[in-house]
């Protein structure tokens, strides 16, 4: 009996061994695809998932609904080209060398698409990158030269300039979809950087949206007429006021001949030149459609201008509405493109294994403090939208309140791909944070800004932010410190640096700033190095 039992067990063992030797090996876990969507100057206030009620972005919202929304995501340097360099390299501006829009960018340094490409990913960059030189790390690239144009734009396709007829946001979306559907290797995981020019100045919307949005009116922000009482020199001297510093022609779309008729002088030659260049790229059909909507706006302004030209509040109201109409209409096209891309992922069965990120290269002022543009470490400029969906790891409806920065994208993407982060990268992966595996993340965010003197005249500064406080040092032609209590003063209206009640907080924040500068290896020597480099270029 025992012998028969042993014989049976032996036979089972042999059969099991045979099957074990001849069965198909376990398939390697599929690496996730990555789609990184970045618009230009898209303030978080203009994404309906954030709840501000300015506009509706139903497709961008789909990413938040199916994944996570970040409420305190921020940048390391609120300026277009430096922000993009940080994204690629995972290093602060003073480490990757692209501190402003003037200095050259070194494509030879490591970036995360290069690493993904070397490890089996197929990579593409389509849209705006605003970094000089031919992009490295991509199997395919089609990018706008510099800022690019909204109508009938030129693109650099593998370094060769080609003009494409149509509207830039739609062209970028169509090209991205064509690459996903027809051009990529279906057997490889992919990483697509899908970058829109919109809603960057001068806010030239697509026909179907300017017909709609120019009829709309928007609620003004509470701080539209901020007098900057309680803040320092930097805020008072910045040239970002909608009424005083936006161009009448380029930004508000007032025709130059109408300006001449009304005796309105442009803020700079840039405005009329921008208007003529932008509308001059249109073909006859595009220009006729544009004039059919914007000429009546000009005619109406001619009627009301004599009665409001001395009333700064009425003029500001008119210019604010013009700004919002065109800015938000540009975003409508971006949102439409996001919807098409998400629909494709669903139809192709790729949604579950694709990480989709939506963000902007920085925040933007939508009339807060009377401003447009960005650059400051103040909230609307510093804080950026960030939404991410990855069904395999991120629960729908997740909300993240930690100080994640654009510095962290490169390490995060490499982490998802199962790859090591190079030691020279300074960011941290937020994969476990957004996946619900930890609540721990850095407790501060470090910021630098270098482009001064320049357009908008935002002074050089650096600073550190925590959950509750923000300390900023403005330097070069001034030496001023600002401290804000974000809990008591969320709109950053009162500098409490010299308030005795905040003496302990001030000391704590200085220690935090010193720690951040030491941690990231920044210093006054870096500040002086890049100041000299900037001034040398300006002097040429």
């Amino acid at each position: 009996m025992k012998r028969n039992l042993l014989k049976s067990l032996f036979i089972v063992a042999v059969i099991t061994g045979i099957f074990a030797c001849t069965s198909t090996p376990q398939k390697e876990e599929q690496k996730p695809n990555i789609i990184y969507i970045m618009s230009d100057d898209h303030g978080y206030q203009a994404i309906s998932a954030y709840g501000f009620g300015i506009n509706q972005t139903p497709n961008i919202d789909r990413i938040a609904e199916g994944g996570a929304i970040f409420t305190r995501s921020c940048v390391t340097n609120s300026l277009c080209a430096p922000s993009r360099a940080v994204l690629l390299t995972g290093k602060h501006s003073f480490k990757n060398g692209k501190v402003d829009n003037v200095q050259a960018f070194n494509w030879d340094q490591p970036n995360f698409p290069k690493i993904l490409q070397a490890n089996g990913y197929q990579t593409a960059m389509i849209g705006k990158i605003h970094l000089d030189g031919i992009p490295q790390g991509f199997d395919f690239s089609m990018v706008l030269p510099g800022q690019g144009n909204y109508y009938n734009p030129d693109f650099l396709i593998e370094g060769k300039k080609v003009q494409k007829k149509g509207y830039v946001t739609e062209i970028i979306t169509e090209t991205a979809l064509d690459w996903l559907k027809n051009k990529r290797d279906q057997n490889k995981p992919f990483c697509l950087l899908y970058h829109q020019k919109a809603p960057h100045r001068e806010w030239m919307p697509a026909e179907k949206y300017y017909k709609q949005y120019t009829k709309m009116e928007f609620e003004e922000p509470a701080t539209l007429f901020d007098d900057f009482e309680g803040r320092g020199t930097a805020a008072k001297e910045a040239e970002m006021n909608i009424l005083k510093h936006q161009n009448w022609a380029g930004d508000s779309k007032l025709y130059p001949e109408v300006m001449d008729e009304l005796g309105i002088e442009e803020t700079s030659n840039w405005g009329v030149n921008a208007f003529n260049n932008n509308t001059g790229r249109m073909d006859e059909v595009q220009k006729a459609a544009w004039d059919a909507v914007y000429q009546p706006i000009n005619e109406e302004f001619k009627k009301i201008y004599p009665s409001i030209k001395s009333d700064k509040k009425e003029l500001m109201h008119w210019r604010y509405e013009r700004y919002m109409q065109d800015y938000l209409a540009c975003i409508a096209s971006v949102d439409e493109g996001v919807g098409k891309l998400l629909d494709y992922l669903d139809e192709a069965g790729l949604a579950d294994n694709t990480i989709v990120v939506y963000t902007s290269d920085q925040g933007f002022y939508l009339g807060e403090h009377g401003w447009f543009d960005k650059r400051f470490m103040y909230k609307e400029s510093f804080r950026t939208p960030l939404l991410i969906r990855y069904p395999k790891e991120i629960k729908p409806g997740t909300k993240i309140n930690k100080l994640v920065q654009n510095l962290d994208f490169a390490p995060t993407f490499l982490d998802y791909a199962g790859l090591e982060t190079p030691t020279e990268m300074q960011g941290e992966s937020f994969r476990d944070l957004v996946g619900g595996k930890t609540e721990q993340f850095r407790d501060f965010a470090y910021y630098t800004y270098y482009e001064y003197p320049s357009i908008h005249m935002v002074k050089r500064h650096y600073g550190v932010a925590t959950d509750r406080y923000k300390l900023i040092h403005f330097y070069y032609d001034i030496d001023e410190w600002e401290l804000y209590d974000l809990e008591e003063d969320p709109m950053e209206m009162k500098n409490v640096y010299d308030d005795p009640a905040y003496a302990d907080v001030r000391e704590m924040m200085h220690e935090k700033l010193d720690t951040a500068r030491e941690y990231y290896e920044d210093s006054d020597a870096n500040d002086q190095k890049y100041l000299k480099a900037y001034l040398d270029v300006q002097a040429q």
Side-chain angles (χ1 to χ4, degrees), residues 93 207 520:
S93 300
E207 179 183 348
Y520 290 120

Side-chain angles (χ1 to χ4, degrees), residues 53-171:
I54 298 175
N55 62 331
Q56 295 299 314
T57 52
N59 294 301
I60 297 172
D61 292 358
R62 287 165 61 184
I63 301 173
E65 291 161 2
I69 185 168
F70 291 69
T71 63
R72 301 206 63 197
S73 171
C74 51
V75 289
T76 60
N77 183 343
S78 186
L79 194 61
C80 297
S83 177
R84 294 157 192 271
V86 171
L87 153 73
L88 290 169
T89 65
K91 297 185 289 190
H92 274 278
S93 300
F94 50 85
K95 283 291 187 180
N96 66 51
K98 186 61 177 172
V99 298
D100 51 41
N101 282 339
V102 174
Q103 309 302 320
F105 177 65
N106 176 20
W107 277 102
D108 291 337
Q109 63 188 304
N111 66 40
F112 81 85
K114 286 184 184 180
I115 299 171
L116 292 176
Q117 187 183 46
N119 285 275
Y121 272 78
Q122 192 166 28
T123 58
M125 174 185 285
I126 298 169
K128 182 175 179 180
I129 188 59
H130 199 197
L131 295 171
D132 51 302
I134 298 175
Q136 294 183 22
F138 302 95
D139 296 293
F140 173 76
S141 67
M142 188 186 90
V143 299
L144 294 163
Q147 293 288 1
N149 295 100
Y150 276 105
Y151 279 86
N152 305 322
D154 295 324
F155 285 92
L156 298 175
I157 302 178
E158 305 300 324
K160 182 180 178 180
K161 184 180 284 190
V162 176
Q163 186 177 26
K164 288 185 172 285
K165 183 177 173 59
Y167 184 65
V168 67
T169 305
E170 296 169 357
I171 293 169

Side-chain angles (χ1 to χ4, degrees), residues 44 72 223 226 228-232 235 365 368-369 371 376-383 464-472 474 482-496:
Y44 62 89
R72 301 206 63 197
T223 59
D226 190 356
F228 304 106
E229 187 68 27
R231 270 134 313 154
Y365 290 101
E368 299 88 0
H369 311 291
W371 286 340
F376 274 115
M377 195 186 174
Y378 301 140
K379 181 174 68 173
E380 290 82 6
S381 169
F382 179 55
R383 179 177 162 186
V464 67
T466 66
D467 285 344
R468 178 165 178 175
Y469 301 105
K470 186 181 294 183
L471 177 67
I472 309 172
F474 293 96
E482 295 183 7
L483 175 66
Y484 295 95
D485 183 338
L486 307 178
E487 186 175 295
E488 296 295 326
D489 179 24
M491 290 189 288
E492 299 169 335
M493 301 288 282
K494 184 181 179 182
N495 173 21
V496 295

Side-chain angles (χ1 to χ4, degrees), residues 60-70 356 386-400 434-435:
I60 297 172
D61 292 358
R62 287 165 61 184
I63 301 173
E65 291 161 2
I69 185 168
F70 291 69
V356 180
L386 176 57
L387 308 93
I388 178 169
R389 188 185 78 178
Y390 183 37
K392 284 188 175 180
E393 293 191 15
I394 303 172
K395 294 180 180 179
T398 296
K399 182 178 287 188
I400 303 295
V434 75

Side-chain angles (χ1 to χ4, degrees), residues 36-45 47 73-88 93 98-101 127-131 144 146-147 150 193-201 203 327 331 334 357-365 373-376 379-387 404-409 447-449:
Y36 177 86
I37 310 168
M38 183 162 68
S39 53
D40 194 316
D41 292 345
H42 190 173
Y44 62 89
Q45 315 94 298
I47 291 178
S73 171
C74 51
V75 289
T76 60
N77 183 343
S78 186
L79 194 61
C80 297
S83 177
R84 294 157 192 271
V86 171
L87 153 73
L88 290 169
S93 300
K98 186 61 177 172
V99 298
D100 51 41
N101 282 339
K128 182 175 179 180
I129 188 59
H130 199 197
L131 295 171
L144 294 163
Q147 293 288 1
Y150 276 105
L193 274 58
Y194 162 51
H195 291 188
Q196 294 290 8
K197 168 185 171 60
H200 192 278
R201 194 180 187 189
W203 314 299
Y327 178 89
I331 289 172
V334 174
V357 172
Y358 185 88
T359 188
S360 175
D361 50 355
Q362 61 261 323
F364 211 68
Y365 290 101
D373 208 70
K374 59 264 184 175
R375 300 167 193 263
F376 274 115
K379 181 174 68 173
E380 290 82 6
S381 169
F382 179 55
R383 179 177 162 186
T384 53
L386 176 57
L387 308 93
V404 168
Q405 293 189 275
N406 54 345
L407 189 71
D408 304 317
F409 287 130
Y447 181 87
T448 58
Y449 176 78

